Amino acid sequence: MPEIGGRKGGVPLVCLTAYTTPMAQLLDSHVDLLLVGDSLAMVIYGHSSTLSVTLETMIAHGGAVVRGAELSCVIVDMPFGTYQETPALAFRNAARVMAETGCAGIKLEGGAEMAETIAFLTARGIPVLGHVGLMPQSVHTAGGYRAQGRAPEDAARIMDDAKAVSDAGAFAIVIESTVEPLARRITDEVPVPTIGIGASPACDGQILVTEDLMGLFLDFTPRFVRRYAELGASVESAAEAYADDVRARRFPGPENLFGPKVPRAASA
Ligand code: KIV
């Protein structure tokens, strides 16, 4: 992944999630990287965590996003349970994701414990985006969705994780919900670009869940999100206006109707 991996320092990388073709088409010319995140389990499918998403679902959405993206680098998340067991299993599943979606690489969560797998994948042609700090697939062992790295021993472990992931060959690393000074230090100390979400403005790039910044994911807004639009409110008012028009027989109007076929004038 030379384009993204070479973007250490300089103009920050712009990254967003996408799960569908139309959203990928809308975002494509504005971002460097589109992530088909396993967050789709919560954002699209209404699950309470990311754990329930399957490889087949990620492949279906990955293919949809690739079909909508001409310029940006599309990365697909490996779902929980499809890569942790052995490097060989990770390779088989990641190879399926690459072959069946046409994406540019995969993302997996984990630090030092995943270094062997990351090295195995990258040595076999699969670009890997790492993910350290808060790892939503480990929510049950990490004690919830809390910011990471407050205690000195946690900060040291996350720093070691980032270095291990980078040394193993990841082309960049997502740092999620990690105290700011630590995310800044990781960015200073690892040679590959860092992409922050709830991390630090010093990161080499930023990523957000698109539905969060568009105001479409209504359950709650995390502290690290800035809302750039209120599309949820627009959707509701459009639905209300449509319902009013249908009930009052104002829709469909004459401009929405097909007339009877007009026979061609007989030639003289
Ligand atoms: O699944 C996801 O959307 C992610 C981003 C939040 C980084 O991992």
Side-chain angles (χ1 to χ4, degrees):
M1 199 60 43
E3 324 79 53
I4 302 291
R7 296 276 299 272
K8 184 79 189 167
V11 179
L13 288 159
V14 180
C15 314
L16 282 172
T17 59
Y19 315 124
T20 64
T21 302
M23 190 60 91
Q25 287 168 332
L26 290 168
L27 303 178
D28 189 39
S29 61
H30 304 286
V31 301
D32 299 296
L33 184 149
L34 285 175
L35 173 69
V36 187
D38 60 355
S39 50
L40 64 78
M42 301 165 86
V43 178
I44 300 288
Y45 289 102
H47 292 292
S48 58
S49 79
T50 60
L51 298 183
S52 47
V53 74
T54 65
L55 194 66
E56 284 67 30
T57 299
M58 293 309 299
I59 288 172
H61 286 274
V65 171
V66 167
R67 287 190 288 280
E70 286 180 10
L71 304 169
S72 48
C73 168
V74 178
I75 300 297
V76 177
D77 248 341
M78 295 297 292
F80 178 66
T82 64
Y83 63 93
Q84 291 92 342
E85 198 176 333
T86 62
L89 177 72
F91 179 79
R92 268 198 302 283
N93 287 329
R96 263 195 74 193
V97 170
M98 300 281 294
E100 294 180 34
T101 67
C103 69
I106 59 94
K107 175 166 83 60
L108 55 78
E109 296 181 9
E113 78 287 1
M114 291 310 301
E116 184 191 353
T117 296
I118 294 170
F120 192 90
L121 296 181
T122 54
R124 287 162 180 76
I126 298 187
V128 176
L129 175 59
H131 184 150
V132 302
L134 178 71
M135 295 181 279
Q137 292 180 10
S138 304
V139 62
H140 295 304
T141 48
Y145 295 98
R146 289 182 296 109
Q148 303 290 301
R150 288 212 159 91
E153 61 276 18
D154 289 341
R157 178 183 42 78
I158 296 168
M159 173 62 84
D160 289 348
D161 281 345
K163 287 181 174 165
V165 167
S166 166
D167 290 348
F171 67 85
I173 305 173
V174 170
I175 305 176
E176 179 164 354
S177 296
T178 297
V179 294
E180 197 279 335
L182 174 60
R184 184 178 289 269
R185 237 169 2 95
I186 293 172
T187 301
D188 283 345
E189 294 189 26
V190 299
V192 296
T194 59
I195 300 172
I197 173 164
S200 169
C203 287
D204 302 297
Q206 301 294 329
I207 186 163
L208 283 177
V209 169
T210 298
E211 281 71 3
D212 282 343
L213 80 92
M214 299 295 178
L216 269 169
F217 187 57
L218 305 175
D219 281 8
F220 97 113
T221 306
R223 177 191 172 89
F224 54 77
V225 171
R226 182 178 293 165
R227 293 264 272 249
Y228 286 86
E230 294 298 338
L231 298 193
S234 300
V235 169
E236 281 205 73
S237 59
E240 191 182 355
Y242 169 70
D244 287 350
D245 280 355
V246 169
R247 289 182 185 124
R249 297 194 186 282
R250 285 190 299 266
F251 178 84
E255 73 284 11
N256 306 117
L257 304 178
F258 300 100
K261 203 167 186 181
V262 181
R264 272 204 201 157
S267 50

